[in-house]
Amino acid sequence: MDPGVQSQTFSGSSPEEKGDGEANTSRVAPMNQSEFLEVNKYHEKDKTTLGQKVSTGWSKLCNVDTLLERVYGLMPILEWLPKYSFRKNLVGDTVSGITVAVMHIPQGMAYAILSGMPAVNGLYMAFFPVLVYVVFCTSRHNSQGSFAIVLLMAGTLAEQVINAHETGTNLLGPRIIDFDQSKGYTPTQAVTMVAFGAGMWQVLMGVLKLGSLSVLLSDVLVSGFTTGSAVHVLTSQLKNIFGLNVPKESKFPKLLRSHYFVITHLLESNVAAIIVSTVAMTFLAVNNDHLKPRLAKKCRIPLPVELIVVVVGTAVSYYLELHDKHGLVTIGSLPTGLPAPSAPPLELLPDVLGGSLVIAVVAYTTSYSMARILAIRQNYEVDANQELLAQGLGNITGAFFRSGPIAASLSRSLIQQTVGGMTQIASIVSCLVLLVILLFIGPLFESLPNCILSSIILVALKGMFVQVFDFTAAWKTSRLDAAIWLSTFLSVVVIDIDIGLGVGVGVSLITLIWRGQRAYACVLAEIPGTPGIYVDAERFETAEEIHNVKIFHYGAGLHFANCDYFKDTLYKLTGLDPIRWHESILHRQKLAMKAKKLGRPRNEKFCCLSCISSSADESMVQKADEGELSYMDRKLRKLSVHVDPTGNQLPFRYLLIDLSGVSFVDAAGINLLKSLVQNYDRIYVTVVFAGAQVPVMKMFEKLDFLIDVPPQYHFPTVGDAVDCSRWKCFPDKPRSTRVTGNNEAVTIDVESLKEE
């Protein structure tokens, strides 16, 4: 149905619109808002007092069942683990966990180097934080661990913090507290502190029930942000692909400077690195585009191609001595065993607090989006606030074990679900497999070239770069969404990741406000033969506007930001600006006063065409007063017009403002409605309101709007308001208007208006 369509229950025709054979008693009388509430026995909701809330809360605390429910809500594993079906789920969870663990090995080591940490720290991220996340999460399929965008942001922030401490300044200016300049911080220490800060923010937001913050990052914004971030990831891996020592750029524009350095030093590239990278990327790309889709049709368990590339690359590098003979950089020493817990450098917390908030929001948004998608597929629910808490506690715990900030991976989560995983037991199995690798197998990968890990990262970025087509799709559907995508992408690429995210959020809020200011508005008309159905007059050719009634529909909240738009649109669509019309009235009155002083006769004007039409003599007026008009007389009566105090014809007599699409109104909006009523009253146009929802009526009552515009001018539906306009059953107003006889003609007291 068209947005402008309004279907009403109460309808009918005025006496002047009915034929001789029609019975006027067959209709339902219209009701105003007060009558509607009284007839339907409206009452306020019972409000809970503070004492009742305290009493209810205390009784819940003393209730064992309530306490258990709270504990289960805080630690969902206590609820689902005792009910775990080993017979139905164990095989699927085991296969899924092993498969995900195999994916964690290359991805964890590759993404760890994005943040500047050793490759083995990526395996730590897939172990310690994940075990904590499993205890507190509500998602059954999210695979937490390393995530390229989050670790790149963490590495960038860590580098800024380290440089600030080396120069003795913080990120916002001179440092107030003197630190020991001889005490340097490693990238691992800085990144773990970023993880700690992100975890604190996530726990705080979870406690404050701010899980709905993810709505600030729309799909279009996330697409533009991740695509721009992919450019940063690509740039950071060029040094390993070409075997170059690319310096860190801090001056604007950083990416262009890095690319310029790579281009100007291509002749200095390591040939062995280029060959190994080309072979690895070619094999991975062919697998992703051709082999993987075909194998997926025959087997649900994917072929661990990334792990195969890692193993083969390590073996080739070891036996050909690529590091010693050709200078190929390898990941180096991989310690066996688990790291001893150690606190991150908490003195860095003030420096990472702001940046870690951005990382916390990005990590949570991507993770919760993935959890929600998988939950819909498997028909279960996830708690947004509990996911915040689980991820935050995982980050805080991981910070004590040399882990960076974690997030859910799209590829790993999908594999965990499609291979057969049913619960987070799959994540526990994955952690056990990684534990074996950390304890015994880690040193076997010491000869792995960094260019192999960079090749894995670059091939995995293809899915992000394909998101460029999201911009073209957004351009076709909504230019505003396209503006969000483009502004976010360009600001991320040209300026920086964190600033780009802020720009994207800002542009999103601006477009949201703009959309609120440019809400859908139209003039409603009635479909002939279907009384009570009102549609957009411009979109339906068969629709007819009601004589002397103009219906204005508005489809958004009315507040301080769109008051001017509401007023301008109302004047434009109805074709009547009451302020300008009143100014013209005053001008004509001045001319009339001058003519009177000069002794010129003044023409009397009336408000009905039946009073001045050549075909409507005094006998017709008398018939109208007696209610004995013929069919032709009634047709002429429908041609009646409404005039202002000086006798000039007005476009309509009643302005009906349909508020059914207005969800809320603030003080500025109510003041606007008051001024509109006053301005239209001055030119003898009656303003009535229809379809106001309960919250809007409450605001009318609180701000005394119902005193200025009594309840008799408010109606539950457009149909009721139209019927009252047709029947002219509005109460008299204490102005210079009065009702004379059954013909409802309004006689204008021009002299009293002049004196006023």
Side-chain angles (χ1 to χ4, degrees):
M1 181 177 288
D2 187 90
V5 175
Q6 297 289 330
S7 179
Q8 308 295 346
T9 303
F10 302 100
S11 62
S13 301
S14 64
E16 60 193 52
E17 294 177 348
K18 286 184 174 291
D20 293 335
E22 297 182 47
N24 294 342
T25 59
S26 61
R27 65 181 305 282
V28 179
M31 293 185 291
N32 58 39
Q33 190 73 25
S34 299
E35 295 168 343
F36 177 78
L37 297 178
E38 182 179 357
V39 169
N40 294 279
K41 299 180 180 180
Y42 172 81
H43 62 87
E44 294 289 340
K45 293 181 179 180
D46 296 333
K47 294 184 179 180
T48 305
T49 63
L50 180 60
Q52 292 175 336
K53 292 181 179 180
V54 173
S55 177
T56 303
W58 179 255
S59 62
K60 288 183 178 180
L61 288 176
C62 298
N63 192 311
V64 177
D65 294 336
T66 304
L67 288 176
L68 289 176
E69 184 179 348
R70 289 180 177 273
V71 172
Y72 289 155
L74 181 62
M75 303 175 66
I77 193 174
L78 297 179
E79 183 177 7
W80 62 262
L81 186 58
K83 303 176 183 178
Y84 183 78
S85 176
F86 289 88
R87 183 177 180 180
K88 293 181 179 179
N89 302 329
L90 184 59
V91 175
D93 285 339
T94 302
V95 175
S96 176
I98 295 174
T99 306
V100 171
V102 170
M103 297 180 66
H104 267 300
I105 297 171
Q107 290 185 4
M109 291 191 295
Y111 296 158
I113 65 176
L114 284 175
S115 63
M117 296 189 299
V120 69
N121 289 58
L123 302 182
Y124 298 156
M125 293 176 58
F127 182 76
F128 295 103
V130 173
L131 288 177
V132 177
Y133 174 80
V134 168
V135 175
F136 296 94
C137 72
T138 56
S139 173
R140 302 175 188 173
H141 300 94
N142 254 8
S143 176
Q144 295 284 344
S146 56
F147 187 66
I149 304 301
V150 172
L151 286 176
L152 178 65
M153 296 175 65
T156 302
L157 178 59
E159 181 184 357
Q160 295 174 355
V161 172
I162 293 174
N163 293 337
H165 272 262
E166 289 178 352
T167 57
T169 59
N170 62 21
L171 300 181
L172 299 177
R175 183 172 298 281
I176 299 177
I177 303 176
D178 293 331
F179 286 95
D180 185 4
Q181 298 296 326
S182 62
K183 181 181 179 180
Y185 294 99
T186 64
T188 299
Q189 289 178 310
V191 172
T192 55
M193 194 60 229
V194 172
F196 184 84
M200 287 184 55
W201 282 116
Q202 290 172 335
V203 170
L204 179 62
M205 290 188 291
V207 172
L208 297 178
K209 308 296 183 183
L210 299 179
S212 59
L213 281 179
S214 60
V215 299
L216 294 177
L217 304 183
S218 63
D219 294 339
V220 178
L221 187 151
V222 172
S223 175
F225 173 75
T226 53
T227 306
S229 301
V231 178
H232 281 268
V233 176
L234 170 65
T235 305
S236 66
Q237 299 308 303
L238 292 179
K239 62 179 181 180
N240 293 326
I241 296 296
F242 293 99
L244 295 174
N245 186 17
V246 181
K248 292 284 187 179
E249 296 291 347
S250 58
K251 296 182 180 179
F252 177 84
K254 296 190 293 184
L255 287 187
L256 292 180
R257 291 177 180 272
S258 298
H259 283 274
Y260 177 78
F261 180 89
V262 172
I263 294 174
T264 55
H265 292 78
L266 280 178
L267 297 179
E268 303 174 8
S269 301
N270 189 309
V271 178
I274 295 177
I275 294 175
V276 172
S277 301
T278 303
V279 173
M281 286 190 292
T282 302
F283 182 71
L284 291 170
V286 171
N287 169 76
N288 292 341
D289 295 338
H290 302 285
L291 297 179
K292 182 181 291 185
R294 296 181 181 180
L295 292 176
K297 298 178 181 179
K298 300 180 180 180
C299 181
R300 291 193 306 173
I301 302 177
L303 183 67
V305 177
E306 290 85 359
L307 183 60
I308 294 174
V309 171
V310 168
V311 174
V312 174
T314 302
V316 171
S317 174
Y318 177 78
Y319 287 108
L320 296 183
E321 300 180 359
L322 296 181
H323 175 67
D324 297 331
K325 294 183 179 180
H326 300 280
L328 199 62
V329 180
T330 61
I331 63 175
S333 175
L334 285 177
T336 57
L338 300 177
S342 61
L346 297 177
E347 63 271 13
L348 297 181
L349 183 60
D351 294 320
V352 303
L353 210 54
S356 61
L357 173 60
V358 179
I359 295 174
V361 173
V362 172
Y364 165 71
T365 302
T366 55
S367 301
Y368 179 68
S369 300
M370 193 69 244
R372 186 172 55 182
I373 292 173
L374 296 177
I376 294 174
R377 287 186 182 182
Q378 298 297 319
N379 194 25
Y380 67 92
E381 296 182 357
V382 290
D383 187 340
N385 297 312
Q386 188 63 27
E387 288 296 310
L388 260 176
L389 187 64
Q391 193 171 5
L393 292 175
N395 277 323
I396 292 176
T397 303
F400 289 85
F401 294 94
R402 306 179 191 176
S403 298
I406 61 171
S409 167
L410 173 63
S411 59
R412 293 195 307 266
S413 299
L414 287 176
I415 291 299
Q416 182 166 321
Q417 184 259 326
T418 55
V419 170
M422 299 299 295
T423 67
Q424 284 294 351
I425 291 294
S427 296
I428 297 177
V429 173
S430 174
C431 291
L432 295 177
V433 175
L434 292 175
L435 178 62
V436 175
I437 294 174
L438 289 171
L439 292 178
F440 307 106
I441 307 178
L444 297 179
F445 294 101
E446 292 181 354
S447 299
L448 174 64
N450 283 347
C451 60
I452 293 288
L453 299 178
S454 297
S455 300
I456 295 174
I457 293 174
L458 294 188
V459 174
L461 291 177
K462 178 186 176 182
M464 293 186 181
F465 285 119
V466 171
Q467 294 178 146
V468 172
F469 295 105
D470 292 347
F471 172 72
T472 58
W475 183 265
K476 295 178 182 178
T477 56
S478 173
R479 300 294 173 86
L480 292 179
D481 287 342
I484 295 173
W485 194 99
L486 187 61
S487 61
T488 305
F489 173 79
L490 292 179
S491 55
V492 168
V493 172
V494 176
I495 306 176
D496 212 339
I497 294 178
D498 51 352
I499 297 178
L501 180 62
V503 171
V505 173
V507 173
S508 297
L509 294 177
I510 292 174
T511 58
L512 186 63
I513 295 174
W514 193 89
R515 282 169 171 156
Q517 291 179 327
R518 298 296 185 270
Y520 175 76
C522 65
V523 171
L524 298 182
E526 190 176 34
I527 299 293
T530 57
I533 297 180
Y534 302 91
V535 297
D536 190 340
E538 294 184 354
R539 299 189 180 188
F540 290 82
E541 295 182 1
T542 60
E544 296 179 358
E545 292 192 43
I546 302 168
H547 180 63
N548 266 341
V549 178
K550 189 72 71 172
I551 308 174
F552 176 72
H553 171 82
Y554 190 73
L558 184 57
H559 48 81
F560 69 95
N562 62 359
C563 283
D564 291 338
Y565 175 76
F566 180 91
K567 180 179 65 176
D568 296 341
T569 305
L570 173 64
Y571 293 168
K572 179 181 178 181
L573 293 180
T574 59
L576 178 60
D577 185 339
I579 298 178
R580 292 185 178 181
W581 194 283
H582 184 257
E583 291 175 352
S584 66
I585 290 176
L586 296 178
H587 178 69
R588 288 192 295 269
Q589 287 179 348
K590 290 180 180 179
L591 295 178
M593 293 295 293
K594 290 181 180 179
K596 184 177 181 180
K597 290 180 180 179
L598 295 176
R600 298 175 183 175
R602 179 170 59 87
N603 294 329
E604 297 292 338
K605 300 222 177 171
F606 302 92
C607 68
C608 288
L609 187 61
S610 60
C611 301
I612 60 176
S613 174
S614 59
S615 61
D617 55 11
E618 294 183 359
S619 61
M620 182 185 296
V621 177
Q622 183 179 1
K623 292 179 181 179
D625 292 338
E626 297 174 356
E628 299 178 354
L629 287 176
S630 65
Y631 176 76
M632 182 58 66
D633 293 339
R634 294 180 187 278
K635 289 296 182 182
L636 290 174
R637 178 70 194 283
K638 288 186 65 176
L639 298 177
S640 64
V641 297
H642 187 52
V643 298
D644 63 18
T646 59
N648 288 276
Q649 179 180 346
L650 284 161
F652 48 87
R653 179 174 184 175
Y654 299 103
L655 173 61
L656 198 165
I657 299 180
D658 177 21
L659 300 177
S660 60
V662 178
S663 58
F664 72 96
V665 61
D666 64 359
I670 292 179
N671 290 333
L672 171 66
L673 295 179
K674 288 181 180 179
S675 65
L676 289 176
V677 171
Q678 294 171 358
N679 292 333
Y680 279 107
D681 277 351
R682 290 193 297 178
I683 62 172
Y684 282 68
V685 171
T686 303
V687 180
V688 296
F689 300 91
Q693 305 299 321
V694 173
V696 176
M697 292 300 297
K698 284 296 178 184
M699 287 298 296
F700 286 170
E701 184 178 354
K702 290 179 180 179
L703 297 180
D704 297 332
F705 184 66
L706 297 180
I707 296 178
D708 298 308
V709 182
Q712 291 82 356
Y713 293 89
H714 297 267
F715 297 87
T717 64
V718 172
D720 287 302
V722 169
D723 289 343
C724 283
S725 301
R726 283 168 166 165
W727 287 74
K728 304 178 179 65
C729 54
F730 294 104
D732 293 339
K733 287 188 176 182
R735 308 181 311 167
S736 57
T737 61
R738 62 185 177 86
V739 178
T740 59
N742 290 333
N743 69 342
E744 302 289 334
V746 177
T747 304
I748 309 299
D749 187 358
V750 180
E751 298 297 328
S752 63
L753 184 64
K754 290 178 182 179
E755 295 175 0
E756 181 180 355

